[in-house]
Every structure is written in C-alpha cells, then in structure tokens.
Amino acid sequence: MTSLRVGAATDVGRRRHNNEDSMLVADRLFVVADGMGGHVGGEVASQIAVAAMGEAFTAGGTVDDLVAAVRTANQAILARADADPSLRNMGTTATATALVDSAEGEVLAVAHVGDSRAYLFRDGHLSQITDDHSVPQELLRAGQLTEAEAAVDPRRNQITRVLGLGDPDPDLQTVVPYVGDRLLLCSDGLTNEVSDAIIAEVLATVADAQEAADRLVAMANDNGGGDNITVILVDVVDDDERAERASESLAAMGGLDREAPHRLLSADERNARLRDLARDDRTDDPWTDAPATAGAAGTVRSLEPSEVDVPARRITARVVVFVLALALVLGGAAAAVGWYARGAYFVGVDRGRVTIFQGRPGGLLWFDPTVAERTDIAESQLRPADVPDLERGKEEPSLGAARDYVRLLRERVAGGDVGASGAGDRGSPEATTTTAAS
Ligand code: MN
C-alpha cells in the first residue's frame, strides 16, 4: 500500500483582503484551487470546486473518476453562477492529485486546469509537471513567444482554461510514486514570489512536509506576498517496495547507493567511491607488479570499500578489486543510462499517425526510440495547438500516461470534428439546467 504524508498551508498574503484560494486535503485527494471573478466570486468558485471534488471522488477511484470529479466541480460552479447573477463571471483553477488504482498499481494522477501548478521533486531534482494555461504560456508552447518574452508578458494573469466556463478540458498525467518523491501543488501566489531554484532548495532541506509547506508560504510573504498563497506538499513515505524492486538489478551491479535504493550515484559520489577503492594503491604501480597468488583471490569476494581497506595481501588483491570495481561501476553507469533512456515514453508522429514511442525524443546516446504502439489518429486531424508538442515528442512517464494522452487527443479530435455530436454531448447539462429552472 502506498502511503503519503502531507503538509498544507494557505495564506491571504500581504496585499489582498480575502483569500480566494481554497484547498482540500482528504484521504487520497489533494486539490489547490485559485478562484477569480467579481466581488466574492473567486472565493465562492474555489470553495465550490474543492467541495464538489471532495464529494465526487471517493477512495478506490481511478484516473477517470478524478477527471469526472473535475467535470462535476465545473458543473457545480456553472449551476451556482446561473442561480446568482452576482457570481456570473466566477471561475477557478484546479490542480488536483489523487492516489488512484491503475494497471500499474497505485499511481498519483494529476488533473489540472489553469495556472496553479504541480511539481515533482525526485532525486534532488524539481520539475514542473503541469503546463500553465495562461495566454503567454500557450503562445510559448505554440512557438510564438520566447521563454524570456513569456516571462515578462503582461497577459500572465489571463487564464485560458478555468472551471466555471464551458468545457474545462483538464490536462492529465500520472506519476508512479517512489519513496522519497515529493509532489508539490501550489497557487501562483507561491510561484510568482519564489523561484523554482529556491523551492527546490526548501524541498531538499526541510524534511517535514508541514514545515516545508509553512516555510514556502512564509518565503512568498517575505518576498512581497502579492497574492493569496496555497501550498500542498504530498510526500511518498511508502511505495510498497516498488523502488526496491525496480532497482534490484541495478543494485547488483553496484551502480546504486544502497541507502537510497532507487537513487543513482552522482558523478562525484562515484568518483569518491573510486578514490576510496584506489586510495592505497596510489604509491604502487598496479599494472606492472603482479605476484599473483591463490590466496589473494580469496579477498576478491566483495566490493565493499571497507573490505578493500584491509591492509593484508596488498597489491594483487587491490588491483583486481580496483579493476573489477571500475568495470562494475562503468557497467552500472551504462545500465543506468539505458534504464533512463528506455524508461520513458513519448507521443509523437510516425508515417502521419500519432504514435507512442518508448525512449526519449531524438534518442539518447546509442538508445534510439522504438515504436511502442501505433494509433489511427492522423496528424491532420489534430488541433493545431497540439501539433508542436507532438512534433517535439510529448514525453510521458509511463505507457499508461502516454495512452491517457492519446485518449485525450482522440477526445479532442472527436469533439472538434463532429459539431453535431459535440453539441449533443453538451445537451445533458442543459437538461439539468432545465430541470433546475422548472
Ligand atoms: Mn492567484
């Protein structure tokens, strides 16, 4: 069973009078919502969103259930805005993660609409895993703005997708949880004030999830607190030994640190380990002096540095251990590169069709991507906005995630292509509205 530890904090900030952010910390569901619109609209919208999602999503849910919960929240906001004209333009972002059951076991699904964010902190590295649905970021992805232009674009606050306006169309992805992973959900009140590098430093140094969440909020306030700030930090504290299983083969090769089984050694650590192994040989010339004895071979049974340090039967044993260790470390590194190169999937285009590849876009060293699955979606059917992503290769952490993305593309194709059926789909909410009005 995957188990999580969670820290969460929300704060009005230094400039605003009320907190329009809302958050939900439930058993297996975590949501950050940043409301907007009107006088009290923002507050109401974000509160409705988290309440509706909390009710709609129950334990044992799947990725689809999470998406359904997002849509339910959207309907709830629309219904409320319909009933109260003063709330007509309200909306909210929603970045939600849920521990869901999938074919790959329990995974963290992330559904996202708007410009709140989810980050994954893994192995000391922070990566933003959601795209901001804001005007400059959409233009950046379409290749019409540079990163530098997007960063200072005044339209940063114009959100292109929200709950409470038409079809929310959430982005969706899954993260296979490993012990030590930290998933951060936050509103833009944090990311406008605190850089990714500083966030990473806090996550690397503050072990307690609640303490880390409080620290991030305090930093945003110290830097100005221009907006409401909300932070949820989800720590994976038990992954059902997934990490250990995944790394067994690598650990056997000596390429892994045994204390953190899924963590690869850094270059410095590898060098330090090699230096330890080589230390006592420095004054000898290991390549010429070889009085091999049968006894020496007995020493070569372990690669533990402590054993190598035993001063008896010097040269030969040490030379053999050193060379073996070097070979194993290099072998481990090669295996690790292969594991990294082949450990991901991406969605691209091959022979005019959307195709799932295993590997990294463009390949890595001698590992070329291979076709994992072909689909019947033609490139010409795609929304223009999706094409650049696919031409670059849309990276996904797993085959399941790649399939989810393809499914999303397929929905978009179906939605955009057939106007009549699209309108028909939207008929059911209308029916609901009619019932409510009568
Ligand atoms: Mn905000």
Side-chain angles (χ1 to χ4, degrees), residues 7-11 14 182 184 189-190 193-194 198-223 229-231 233:
T10 185
D11 190 82
R14 293 267 164 88
R182 314 190 89 172
L184 171 71
L190 175 70
E193 307 286 6
V194 183
I198 299 293
I199 292 173
E201 199 180 301
V202 170
L203 296 184
T205 52
V206 183
D208 181 73
Q210 185 58 49
E211 213 176 294
D214 290 337
R215 181 82 60 90
L216 290 170
V217 168
M219 284 175 139
N221 273 325
D222 288 346
N223 291 348
I229 309 146
T230 302
V231 170
L233 183 60

PDB file of all heavy atoms in Angstrom, residues 7-11 14 182 184 189-190 193-194 198-223 229-231 233:
ATOM      1  N   GLY A   7       1.712  17.943   4.022  1.00  0.00           N
ATOM      2  CA  GLY A   7       1.734  19.231   4.699  1.00  0.00           C
ATOM      3  C   GLY A   7       0.973  20.221   3.834  1.00  0.00           C
ATOM      4  O   GLY A   7       1.039  20.138   2.608  1.00  0.00           O
ATOM      5  N   ALA A   8       0.242  21.131   4.444  1.00  0.00           N
ATOM      6  CA  ALA A   8      -0.546  22.066   3.643  1.00  0.00           C
ATOM      7  C   ALA A   8      -0.686  23.393   4.367  1.00  0.00           C
ATOM      8  O   ALA A   8      -0.769  23.439   5.590  1.00  0.00           O
ATOM      9  CB  ALA A   8      -1.930  21.485   3.357  1.00  0.00           C
ATOM     10  N   ALA A   9      -0.692  24.466   3.587  1.00  0.00           N
ATOM     11  CA  ALA A   9      -0.851  25.794   4.183  1.00  0.00           C
ATOM     12  C   ALA A   9      -1.464  26.729   3.158  1.00  0.00           C
ATOM     13  O   ALA A   9      -1.166  26.638   1.968  1.00  0.00           O
ATOM     14  CB  ALA A   9       0.506  26.330   4.627  1.00  0.00           C
ATOM     15  N   THR A  10      -2.326  27.610   3.614  1.00  0.00           N
ATOM     16  CA  THR A  10      -2.853  28.646   2.738  1.00  0.00           C
ATOM     17  C   THR A  10      -2.855  29.962   3.500  1.00  0.00           C
ATOM     18  O   THR A  10      -3.038  29.975   4.706  1.00  0.00           O
ATOM     19  CB  THR A  10      -4.259  28.294   2.199  1.00  0.00           C
ATOM     20  OG1 THR A  10      -4.665  29.308   1.262  1.00  0.00           O
ATOM     21  CG2 THR A  10      -5.283  28.192   3.306  1.00  0.00           C
ATOM     22  N   ASP A  11      -2.614  31.056   2.770  1.00  0.00           N
ATOM     23  CA  ASP A  11      -2.472  32.332   3.434  1.00  0.00           C
ATOM     24  C   ASP A  11      -2.949  33.444   2.512  1.00  0.00           C
ATOM     25  O   ASP A  11      -2.771  33.360   1.297  1.00  0.00           O
ATOM     26  CB  ASP A  11      -1.004  32.559   3.806  1.00  0.00           C
ATOM     27  CG  ASP A  11      -0.827  33.758   4.724  1.00  0.00           C
ATOM     28  OD1 ASP A  11      -1.031  33.591   5.950  1.00  0.00           O
ATOM     29  OD2 ASP A  11      -0.496  34.850   4.221  1.00  0.00           O
ATOM     30  N   ARG A  14       0.098  39.441   1.583  1.00  0.00           N
ATOM     31  CA  ARG A  14       0.298  40.752   2.209  1.00  0.00           C
ATOM     32  C   ARG A  14      -0.518  41.865   1.575  1.00  0.00           C
ATOM     33  O   ARG A  14      -0.571  42.975   2.090  1.00  0.00           O
ATOM     34  CB  ARG A  14       1.780  41.130   2.113  1.00  0.00           C
ATOM     35  CG  ARG A  14       2.696  40.258   2.921  1.00  0.00           C
ATOM     36  CD  ARG A  14       2.945  40.843   4.305  1.00  0.00           C
ATOM     37  NE  ARG A  14       3.509  39.865   5.216  1.00  0.00           N
ATOM     38  CZ  ARG A  14       4.809  39.634   5.351  1.00  0.00           C
ATOM     39  NH1 ARG A  14       5.669  40.297   4.640  1.00  0.00           N
ATOM     40  NH2 ARG A  14       5.228  38.738   6.211  1.00  0.00           N
ATOM     41  N   ARG A 182       8.383  13.897  -3.644  1.00  0.00           N
ATOM     42  CA  ARG A 182       7.552  14.940  -3.034  1.00  0.00           C
ATOM     43  C   ARG A 182       6.788  15.619  -4.170  1.00  0.00           C
ATOM     44  O   ARG A 182       7.390  16.121  -5.116  1.00  0.00           O
ATOM     45  CB  ARG A 182       8.409  15.984  -2.303  1.00  0.00           C
ATOM     46  CG  ARG A 182       9.494  15.392  -1.433  1.00  0.00           C
ATOM     47  CD  ARG A 182      10.174  16.435  -0.545  1.00  0.00           C
ATOM     48  NE  ARG A 182       9.454  16.537   0.719  1.00  0.00           N
ATOM     49  CZ  ARG A 182       9.897  17.257   1.764  1.00  0.00           C
ATOM     50  NH1 ARG A 182      11.001  17.972   1.679  1.00  0.00           N
ATOM     51  NH2 ARG A 182       9.199  17.295   2.887  1.00  0.00           N
ATOM     52  N   LEU A 184       4.403  18.633  -5.150  1.00  0.00           N
ATOM     53  CA  LEU A 184       4.017  19.948  -4.642  1.00  0.00           C
ATOM     54  C   LEU A 184       2.887  20.517  -5.503  1.00  0.00           C
ATOM     55  O   LEU A 184       3.016  20.597  -6.728  1.00  0.00           O
ATOM     56  CB  LEU A 184       5.231  20.885  -4.719  1.00  0.00           C
ATOM     57  CG  LEU A 184       4.986  22.369  -4.424  1.00  0.00           C
ATOM     58  CD1 LEU A 184       4.704  22.595  -2.950  1.00  0.00           C
ATOM     59  CD2 LEU A 184       6.192  23.203  -4.860  1.00  0.00           C
ATOM     60  N   GLY A 189       0.407  32.362  -6.261  1.00  0.00           N
ATOM     61  CA  GLY A 189       0.904  33.228  -5.192  1.00  0.00           C
ATOM     62  C   GLY A 189       2.245  32.761  -4.663  1.00  0.00           C
ATOM     63  O   GLY A 189       3.041  33.559  -4.164  1.00  0.00           O
ATOM     64  N   LEU A 190       2.538  31.473  -4.788  1.00  0.00           N
ATOM     65  CA  LEU A 190       3.872  30.980  -4.425  1.00  0.00           C
ATOM     66  C   LEU A 190       4.850  31.214  -5.571  1.00  0.00           C
ATOM     67  O   LEU A 190       5.915  31.807  -5.386  1.00  0.00           O
ATOM     68  CB  LEU A 190       3.844  29.487  -4.085  1.00  0.00           C
ATOM     69  CG  LEU A 190       5.234  28.890  -3.826  1.00  0.00           C
ATOM     70  CD1 LEU A 190       5.812  29.417  -2.522  1.00  0.00           C
ATOM     71  CD2 LEU A 190       5.201  27.361  -3.816  1.00  0.00           C
ATOM     72  N   GLU A 193       6.362  34.579  -6.446  1.00  0.00           N
ATOM     73  CA  GLU A 193       7.253  35.200  -5.466  1.00  0.00           C
ATOM     74  C   GLU A 193       8.530  34.401  -5.206  1.00  0.00           C
ATOM     75  O   GLU A 193       9.530  34.954  -4.777  1.00  0.00           O
ATOM     76  CB  GLU A 193       6.529  35.377  -4.116  1.00  0.00           C
ATOM     77  CG  GLU A 193       5.189  36.104  -4.185  1.00  0.00           C
ATOM     78  CD  GLU A 193       5.319  37.612  -4.423  1.00  0.00           C
ATOM     79  OE1 GLU A 193       6.448  38.091  -4.643  1.00  0.00           O
ATOM     80  OE2 GLU A 193       4.278  38.293  -4.385  1.00  0.00           O
ATOM     81  N   VAL A 194       8.476  33.095  -5.419  1.00  0.00           N
ATOM     82  CA  VAL A 194       9.609  32.241  -5.051  1.00  0.00           C
ATOM     83  C   VAL A 194      10.044  31.442  -6.285  1.00  0.00           C
ATOM     84  O   VAL A 194       9.229  30.785  -6.923  1.00  0.00           O
ATOM     85  CB  VAL A 194       9.220  31.273  -3.900  1.00  0.00           C
ATOM     86  CG1 VAL A 194      10.424  30.453  -3.467  1.00  0.00           C
ATOM     87  CG2 VAL A 194       8.655  32.042  -2.708  1.00  0.00           C
ATOM     88  N   ILE A 198      14.737  28.137  -5.494  1.00  0.00           N
ATOM     89  CA  ILE A 198      14.573  28.254  -4.039  1.00  0.00           C
ATOM     90  C   ILE A 198      13.581  27.197  -3.536  1.00  0.00           C
ATOM     91  O   ILE A 198      13.782  26.585  -2.479  1.00  0.00           O
ATOM     92  CB  ILE A 198      14.087  29.675  -3.665  1.00  0.00           C
ATOM     93  CG1 ILE A 198      15.113  30.720  -4.116  1.00  0.00           C
ATOM     94  CG2 ILE A 198      13.822  29.776  -2.177  1.00  0.00           C
ATOM     95  CD1 ILE A 198      16.432  30.652  -3.383  1.00  0.00           C
ATOM     96  N   ILE A 199      12.520  26.980  -4.308  1.00  0.00           N
ATOM     97  CA  ILE A 199      11.567  25.930  -3.922  1.00  0.00           C
ATOM     98  C   ILE A 199      12.302  24.596  -3.804  1.00  0.00           C
ATOM     99  O   ILE A 199      12.141  23.856  -2.835  1.00  0.00           O
ATOM    100  CB  ILE A 199      10.421  25.826  -4.958  1.00  0.00           C
ATOM    101  CG1 ILE A 199       9.549  27.084  -4.914  1.00  0.00           C
ATOM    102  CG2 ILE A 199       9.564  24.587  -4.678  1.00  0.00           C
ATOM    103  CD1 ILE A 199       8.479  27.150  -6.012  1.00  0.00           C
ATOM    104  N   ALA A 200      13.155  24.314  -4.787  1.00  0.00           N
ATOM    105  CA  ALA A 200      13.901  23.051  -4.774  1.00  0.00           C
ATOM    106  C   ALA A 200      14.789  22.958  -3.538  1.00  0.00           C
ATOM    107  O   ALA A 200      14.908  21.901  -2.916  1.00  0.00           O
ATOM    108  CB  ALA A 200      14.745  22.928  -6.046  1.00  0.00           C
ATOM    109  N   GLU A 201      15.388  24.094  -3.184  1.00  0.00           N
ATOM    110  CA  GLU A 201      16.281  24.083  -2.020  1.00  0.00           C
ATOM    111  C   GLU A 201      15.499  23.768  -0.745  1.00  0.00           C
ATOM    112  O   GLU A 201      15.952  23.001   0.107  1.00  0.00           O
ATOM    113  CB  GLU A 201      16.958  25.445  -1.915  1.00  0.00           C
ATOM    114  CG  GLU A 201      18.201  25.431  -1.078  1.00  0.00           C
ATOM    115  CD  GLU A 201      18.807  26.824  -1.030  1.00  0.00           C
ATOM    116  OE1 GLU A 201      19.124  27.340  -2.115  1.00  0.00           O
ATOM    117  OE2 GLU A 201      18.920  27.370   0.077  1.00  0.00           O
ATOM    118  N   VAL A 202      14.318  24.370  -0.617  1.00  0.00           N
ATOM    119  CA  VAL A 202      13.493  24.100   0.569  1.00  0.00           C
ATOM    120  C   VAL A 202      13.103  22.618   0.600  1.00  0.00           C
ATOM    121  O   VAL A 202      13.193  21.957   1.640  1.00  0.00           O
ATOM    122  CB  VAL A 202      12.238  25.007   0.571  1.00  0.00           C
ATOM    123  CG1 VAL A 202      11.260  24.576   1.658  1.00  0.00           C
ATOM    124  CG2 VAL A 202      12.638  26.460   0.760  1.00  0.00           C
ATOM    125  N   LEU A 203      12.699  22.095  -0.550  1.00  0.00           N
ATOM    126  CA  LEU A 203      12.269  20.690  -0.580  1.00  0.00           C
ATOM    127  C   LEU A 203      13.433  19.751  -0.300  1.00  0.00           C
ATOM    128  O   LEU A 203      13.266  18.659   0.227  1.00  0.00           O
ATOM    129  CB  LEU A 203      11.622  20.360  -1.932  1.00  0.00           C
ATOM    130  CG  LEU A 203      10.331  21.130  -2.218  1.00  0.00           C
ATOM    131  CD1 LEU A 203       9.713  20.679  -3.532  1.00  0.00           C
ATOM    132  CD2 LEU A 203       9.319  20.962  -1.091  1.00  0.00           C
ATOM    133  N   ALA A 204      14.639  20.194  -0.657  1.00  0.00           N
ATOM    134  CA  ALA A 204      15.815  19.343  -0.429  1.00  0.00           C
ATOM    135  C   ALA A 204      16.260  19.377   1.026  1.00  0.00           C
ATOM    136  O   ALA A 204      16.895  18.440   1.501  1.00  0.00           O
ATOM    137  CB  ALA A 204      16.964  19.794  -1.331  1.00  0.00           C
ATOM    138  N   THR A 205      15.923  20.454   1.734  1.00  0.00           N
ATOM    139  CA  THR A 205      16.499  20.627   3.069  1.00  0.00           C
ATOM    140  C   THR A 205      15.496  20.495   4.207  1.00  0.00           C
ATOM    141  O   THR A 205      15.885  20.209   5.328  1.00  0.00           O
ATOM    142  CB  THR A 205      17.202  21.993   3.187  1.00  0.00           C
ATOM    143  OG1 THR A 205      16.287  23.012   2.758  1.00  0.00           O
ATOM    144  CG2 THR A 205      18.439  22.052   2.320  1.00  0.00           C
ATOM    145  N   VAL A 206      14.224  20.710   3.941  1.00  0.00           N
ATOM    146  CA  VAL A 206      13.239  20.623   5.029  1.00  0.00           C
ATOM    147  C   VAL A 206      12.480  19.308   4.888  1.00  0.00           C
ATOM    148  O   VAL A 206      11.668  19.139   3.986  1.00  0.00           O
ATOM    149  CB  VAL A 206      12.265  21.820   4.999  1.00  0.00           C
ATOM    150  CG1 VAL A 206      11.309  21.748   6.180  1.00  0.00           C
ATOM    151  CG2 VAL A 206      13.041  23.133   5.013  1.00  0.00           C
ATOM    152  N   ALA A 207      12.774  18.375   5.800  1.00  0.00           N
ATOM    153  CA  ALA A 207      12.242  17.020   5.631  1.00  0.00           C
ATOM    154  C   ALA A 207      10.755  16.931   5.965  1.00  0.00           C
ATOM    155  O   ALA A 207      10.008  16.219   5.311  1.00  0.00           O
ATOM    156  CB  ALA A 207      13.031  16.051   6.513  1.00  0.00           C
ATOM    157  N   ASP A 208      10.326  17.663   6.977  1.00  0.00           N
ATOM    158  CA  ASP A 208       8.935  17.541   7.408  1.00  0.00           C
ATOM    159  C   ASP A 208       8.013  18.275   6.429  1.00  0.00           C
ATOM    160  O   ASP A 208       8.226  19.453   6.122  1.00  0.00           O
ATOM    161  CB  ASP A 208       8.786  18.116   8.816  1.00  0.00           C
ATOM    162  CG  ASP A 208       7.361  17.986   9.318  1.00  0.00           C
ATOM    163  OD1 ASP A 208       6.964  16.866   9.649  1.00  0.00           O
ATOM    164  OD2 ASP A 208       6.637  19.007   9.332  1.00  0.00           O
ATOM    165  N   ALA A 209       6.979  17.577   5.952  1.00  0.00           N
ATOM    166  CA  ALA A 209       6.124  18.143   4.899  1.00  0.00           C
ATOM    167  C   ALA A 209       5.414  19.416   5.370  1.00  0.00           C
ATOM    168  O   ALA A 209       5.333  20.402   4.630  1.00  0.00           O
ATOM    169  CB  ALA A 209       5.101  17.108   4.435  1.00  0.00           C
ATOM    170  N   GLN A 210       4.908  19.404   6.592  1.00  0.00           N
ATOM    171  CA  GLN A 210       4.184  20.588   7.079  1.00  0.00           C
ATOM    172  C   GLN A 210       5.142  21.768   7.246  1.00  0.00           C
ATOM    173  O   GLN A 210       4.831  22.896   6.876  1.00  0.00           O
ATOM    174  CB  GLN A 210       3.483  20.267   8.408  1.00  0.00           C
ATOM    175  CG  GLN A 210       2.607  21.400   8.917  1.00  0.00           C
ATOM    176  CD  GLN A 210       1.531  21.793   7.895  1.00  0.00           C
ATOM    177  OE1 GLN A 210       0.827  20.954   7.357  1.00  0.00           O
ATOM    178  NE2 GLN A 210       1.427  23.087   7.593  1.00  0.00           N
ATOM    179  N   GLU A 211       6.312  21.448   7.785  1.00  0.00           N
ATOM    180  CA  GLU A 211       7.303  22.503   7.982  1.00  0.00           C
ATOM    181  C   GLU A 211       7.713  23.119   6.632  1.00  0.00           C
ATOM    182  O   GLU A 211       7.850  24.338   6.496  1.00  0.00           O
ATOM    183  CB  GLU A 211       8.530  21.895   8.666  1.00  0.00           C
ATOM    184  CG  GLU A 211       9.264  22.801   9.609  1.00  0.00           C
ATOM    185  CD  GLU A 211      10.394  22.015  10.271  1.00  0.00           C
ATOM    186  OE1 GLU A 211      10.105  21.073  11.038  1.00  0.00           O
ATOM    187  OE2 GLU A 211      11.557  22.325   9.978  1.00  0.00           O
ATOM    188  N   ALA A 212       7.886  22.260   5.645  1.00  0.00           N
ATOM    189  CA  ALA A 212       8.288  22.737   4.314  1.00  0.00           C
ATOM    190  C   ALA A 212       7.181  23.605   3.707  1.00  0.00           C
ATOM    191  O   ALA A 212       7.457  24.662   3.116  1.00  0.00           O
ATOM    192  CB  ALA A 212       8.606  21.557   3.400  1.00  0.00           C
ATOM    193  N   ALA A 213       5.924  23.180   3.849  1.00  0.00           N
ATOM    194  CA  ALA A 213       4.803  23.957   3.310  1.00  0.00           C
ATOM    195  C   ALA A 213       4.747  25.332   3.986  1.00  0.00           C
ATOM    196  O   ALA A 213       4.610  26.373   3.321  1.00  0.00           O
ATOM    197  CB  ALA A 213       3.488  23.206   3.514  1.00  0.00           C
ATOM    198  N   ASP A 214       4.887  25.339   5.304  1.00  0.00           N
ATOM    199  CA  ASP A 214       4.859  26.614   6.044  1.00  0.00           C
ATOM    200  C   ASP A 214       6.022  27.511   5.611  1.00  0.00           C
ATOM    201  O   ASP A 214       5.865  28.718   5.454  1.00  0.00           O
ATOM    202  CB  ASP A 214       4.957  26.355   7.555  1.00  0.00           C
ATOM    203  CG  ASP A 214       3.688  25.713   8.114  1.00  0.00           C
ATOM    204  OD1 ASP A 214       2.620  25.858   7.483  1.00  0.00           O
ATOM    205  OD2 ASP A 214       3.773  25.058   9.171  1.00  0.00           O
ATOM    206  N   ARG A 215       7.173  26.903   5.407  1.00  0.00           N
ATOM    207  CA  ARG A 215       8.352  27.674   5.026  1.00  0.00           C
ATOM    208  C   ARG A 215       8.139  28.347   3.667  1.00  0.00           C
ATOM    209  O   ARG A 215       8.468  29.524   3.470  1.00  0.00           O
ATOM    210  CB  ARG A 215       9.574  26.740   4.976  1.00  0.00           C
ATOM    211  CG  ARG A 215      10.882  27.414   4.615  1.00  0.00           C
ATOM    212  CD  ARG A 215      11.550  28.084   5.799  1.00  0.00           C
ATOM    213  NE  ARG A 215      11.854  27.137   6.853  1.00  0.00           N
ATOM    214  CZ  ARG A 215      12.999  26.458   6.950  1.00  0.00           C
ATOM    215  NH1 ARG A 215      13.947  26.635   6.067  1.00  0.00           N
ATOM    216  NH2 ARG A 215      13.200  25.614   7.947  1.00  0.00           N
ATOM    217  N   LEU A 216       7.573  27.596   2.724  1.00  0.00           N
ATOM    218  CA  LEU A 216       7.344  28.160   1.388  1.00  0.00           C
ATOM    219  C   LEU A 216       6.371  29.333   1.447  1.00  0.00           C
ATOM    220  O   LEU A 216       6.582  30.371   0.809  1.00  0.00           O
ATOM    221  CB  LEU A 216       6.819  27.069   0.438  1.00  0.00           C
ATOM    222  CG  LEU A 216       7.853  26.006   0.059  1.00  0.00           C
ATOM    223  CD1 LEU A 216       7.191  24.839  -0.673  1.00  0.00           C
ATOM    224  CD2 LEU A 216       8.969  26.603  -0.799  1.00  0.00           C
ATOM    225  N   VAL A 217       5.303  29.182   2.227  1.00  0.00           N
ATOM    226  CA  VAL A 217       4.332  30.279   2.349  1.00  0.00           C
ATOM    227  C   VAL A 217       5.005  31.501   2.986  1.00  0.00           C
ATOM    228  O   VAL A 217       4.831  32.635   2.525  1.00  0.00           O
ATOM    229  CB  VAL A 217       3.104  29.817   3.170  1.00  0.00           C
ATOM    230  CG1 VAL A 217       2.238  31.013   3.559  1.00  0.00           C
ATOM    231  CG2 VAL A 217       2.294  28.796   2.383  1.00  0.00           C
ATOM    232  N   ALA A 218       5.816  31.265   4.006  1.00  0.00           N
ATOM    233  CA  ALA A 218       6.494  32.378   4.675  1.00  0.00           C
ATOM    234  C   ALA A 218       7.433  33.098   3.705  1.00  0.00           C
ATOM    235  O   ALA A 218       7.521  34.334   3.703  1.00  0.00           O
ATOM    236  CB  ALA A 218       7.268  31.859   5.888  1.00  0.00           C
ATOM    237  N   MET A 219       8.112  32.329   2.852  1.00  0.00           N
ATOM    238  CA  MET A 219       9.029  32.942   1.886  1.00  0.00           C
ATOM    239  C   MET A 219       8.272  33.798   0.877  1.00  0.00           C
ATOM    240  O   MET A 219       8.732  34.890   0.511  1.00  0.00           O
ATOM    241  CB  MET A 219       9.801  31.859   1.136  1.00  0.00           C
ATOM    242  CG  MET A 219      10.908  31.248   1.969  1.00  0.00           C
ATOM    243  SD  MET A 219      11.642  29.894   1.060  1.00  0.00           S
ATOM    244  CE  MET A 219      13.351  30.199   1.441  1.00  0.00           C
ATOM    245  N   ALA A 220       7.129  33.305   0.410  1.00  0.00           N
ATOM    246  CA  ALA A 220       6.329  34.088  -0.538  1.00  0.00           C
ATOM    247  C   ALA A 220       5.896  35.400   0.107  1.00  0.00           C
ATOM    248  O   ALA A 220       5.922  36.463  -0.532  1.00  0.00           O
ATOM    249  CB  ALA A 220       5.116  33.280  -0.997  1.00  0.00           C
ATOM    250  N   ASN A 221       5.530  35.345   1.372  1.00  0.00           N
ATOM    251  CA  ASN A 221       5.154  36.572   2.084  1.00  0.00           C
ATOM    252  C   ASN A 221       6.353  37.496   2.256  1.00  0.00           C
ATOM    253  O   ASN A 221       6.250  38.705   2.063  1.00  0.00           O
ATOM    254  CB  ASN A 221       4.549  36.230   3.448  1.00  0.00           C
ATOM    255  CG  ASN A 221       3.051  35.991   3.340  1.00  0.00           C
ATOM    256  OD1 ASN A 221       2.366  36.645   2.550  1.00  0.00           O
ATOM    257  ND2 ASN A 221       2.546  35.051   4.114  1.00  0.00           N
ATOM    258  N   ASP A 222       7.497  36.927   2.591  1.00  0.00           N
ATOM    259  CA  ASP A 222       8.697  37.745   2.755  1.00  0.00           C
ATOM    260  C   ASP A 222       9.062  38.456   1.458  1.00  0.00           C
ATOM    261  O   ASP A 222       9.612  39.548   1.459  1.00  0.00           O
ATOM    262  CB  ASP A 222       9.891  36.876   3.193  1.00  0.00           C
ATOM    263  CG  ASP A 222       9.740  36.419   4.634  1.00  0.00           C
ATOM    264  OD1 ASP A 222       8.875  36.978   5.340  1.00  0.00           O
ATOM    265  OD2 ASP A 222      10.470  35.499   5.050  1.00  0.00           O
ATOM    266  N   ASN A 223       8.765  37.810   0.334  1.00  0.00           N
ATOM    267  CA  ASN A 223       9.104  38.410  -0.961  1.00  0.00           C
ATOM    268  C   ASN A 223       8.027  39.353  -1.485  1.00  0.00           C
ATOM    269  O   ASN A 223       8.102  39.785  -2.627  1.00  0.00           O
ATOM    270  CB  ASN A 223       9.365  37.316  -1.997  1.00  0.00           C
ATOM    271  CG  ASN A 223      10.646  36.550  -1.705  1.00  0.00           C
ATOM    272  OD1 ASN A 223      11.446  36.977  -0.877  1.00  0.00           O
ATOM    273  ND2 ASN A 223      10.837  35.442  -2.360  1.00  0.00           N
ATOM    274  N   ILE A 229      -1.625  32.702  -1.211  1.00  0.00           N
ATOM    275  CA  ILE A 229      -0.602  31.653  -1.371  1.00  0.00           C
ATOM    276  C   ILE A 229      -1.142  30.342  -0.812  1.00  0.00           C
ATOM    277  O   ILE A 229      -1.589  30.305   0.339  1.00  0.00           O
ATOM    278  CB  ILE A 229       0.675  32.011  -0.571  1.00  0.00           C
ATOM    279  CG1 ILE A 229       1.138  33.430  -0.888  1.00  0.00           C
ATOM    280  CG2 ILE A 229       1.778  30.997  -0.854  1.00  0.00           C
ATOM    281  CD1 ILE A 229       1.756  34.124   0.316  1.00  0.00           C
ATOM    282  N   THR A 230      -1.076  29.300  -1.624  1.00  0.00           N
ATOM    283  CA  THR A 230      -1.516  27.991  -1.147  1.00  0.00           C
ATOM    284  C   THR A 230      -0.515  26.931  -1.575  1.00  0.00           C
ATOM    285  O   THR A 230      -0.062  26.914  -2.717  1.00  0.00           O
ATOM    286  CB  THR A 230      -2.913  27.635  -1.708  1.00  0.00           C
ATOM    287  OG1 THR A 230      -3.824  28.649  -1.304  1.00  0.00           O
ATOM    288  CG2 THR A 230      -3.395  26.297  -1.176  1.00  0.00           C
ATOM    289  N   VAL A 231      -0.175  26.072  -0.634  1.00  0.00           N
ATOM    290  CA  VAL A 231       0.825  25.033  -0.876  1.00  0.00           C
ATOM    291  C   VAL A 231       0.335  23.716  -0.278  1.00  0.00           C
ATOM    292  O   VAL A 231      -0.070  23.684   0.883  1.00  0.00           O
ATOM    293  CB  VAL A 231       2.168  25.417  -0.193  1.00  0.00           C
ATOM    294  CG1 VAL A 231       3.133  24.248  -0.226  1.00  0.00           C
ATOM    295  CG2 VAL A 231       2.785  26.640  -0.850  1.00  0.00           C
ATOM    296  N   LEU A 233       1.978  19.858   0.052  1.00  0.00           N
ATOM    297  CA  LEU A 233       3.140  19.016  -0.231  1.00  0.00           C
ATOM    298  C   LEU A 233       2.803  17.579   0.144  1.00  0.00           C
ATOM    299  O   LEU A 233       2.467  17.290   1.292  1.00  0.00           O
ATOM    300  CB  LEU A 233       4.356  19.516   0.559  1.00  0.00           C
ATOM    301  CG  LEU A 233       5.658  18.771   0.299  1.00  0.00           C
ATOM    302  CD1 LEU A 233       6.066  18.863  -1.165  1.00  0.00           C
ATOM    303  CD2 LEU A 233       6.766  19.317   1.186  1.00  0.00           C
TER     304      LEU A 233
END
